[in-house]
Amino acid sequence: MLTRLCCDELPSKKSFAEKHSLSLSFAHRNFLDIDKVDRLDVEEKFLSMAEDNEDLVKMTLLYFIGYIIIRRKNKGKVLLDPFFLKLVNHLDLCQTFPWDTLSFKYCLYILADKMKERSKPSLNSWNLP
């Protein structure tokens, strides 16, 4: 995945999901409440999976998305967009999805948030994920 980062324009999540008939079958097999899946749920499920589990690669990808691609400044509860739960069910589409554009978008979000905090006198330095 790292060697195929794509900088194309981000598609509309709704139209992309409809165009490719994305399903939540992976999410339904692995999570009780698919509307409230957070990074910690993914990590717990990932660490408990057997090596021969057919969903291991998909769970690994979801873990990567939650902790690397869309990482937020807080380390607590971060709900994953159901779109990603659908997308990881289709590994072929994951190879062509514009992950680089998405990660850049989140990077700008974090940078803008940090610039708002810059006026605080106690902030001497900060990290950008």
Side-chain angles (χ1 to χ4, degrees):
M1 187 173 147
L2 287 175
T3 60
R4 293 186 178 198
L5 288 178
C6 173
C7 296
D8 293 342
E9 185 177 338
L10 277 176
S12 156
K13 291 176 184 177
K14 183 178 180 184
S15 65
F16 188 87
E18 290 171 356
K19 177 182 177 183
H20 297 287
S21 302
L22 300 183
S23 74
L24 284 165
S25 59
F26 161 79
H28 286 296
R29 280 193 309 275
N30 291 286
F31 302 104
L32 296 176
D33 186 356
I34 60 172
D35 293 324
K36 296 182 181 175
V37 176
D38 74 10
R39 295 184 313 186
L40 299 175
D41 296 329
V42 173
E43 181 176 7
E44 181 180 315
K45 187 71 174 179
F46 169 70
L47 293 174
S48 70
M49 286 182 137
E51 288 184 29
D52 61 346
N53 189 314
E54 66 183 52
D55 286 337
L56 183 60
V57 172
K58 295 172 184 177
M59 193 64 68
T60 304
L61 182 56
L62 192 58
Y63 181 86
F64 182 80
I65 292 167
Y67 278 92
I68 305 300
I69 300 288
I70 60 167
R71 182 177 158 201
R72 297 273 204 247
K73 66 179 180 178
N74 60 340
K75 301 203 186 282
K77 195 169 189 91
V78 174
L79 295 179
L80 293 176
D81 188 322
F83 174 76
F84 297 122
L85 298 173
K86 293 177 184 178
L87 186 58
V88 297
N89 200 34
H90 305 273
L91 295 175
D92 55 328
L93 293 175
C94 289
Q95 292 181 358
T96 59
F97 190 78
W99 295 110
D100 200 35
T101 305
L102 183 68
S103 63
F104 183 70
K105 175 186 163 192
Y106 281 107
C107 182
L108 289 179
Y109 168 80
I110 292 169
L111 183 59
D113 196 41
K114 291 295 183 181
M115 292 305 290
K116 290 176 190 172
E117 293 177 12
R118 188 166 166 75
S119 62
K120 296 179 182 177
S122 64
L123 186 66
N124 296 322
S125 67
W126 45 272
N127 293 327
L128 183 65

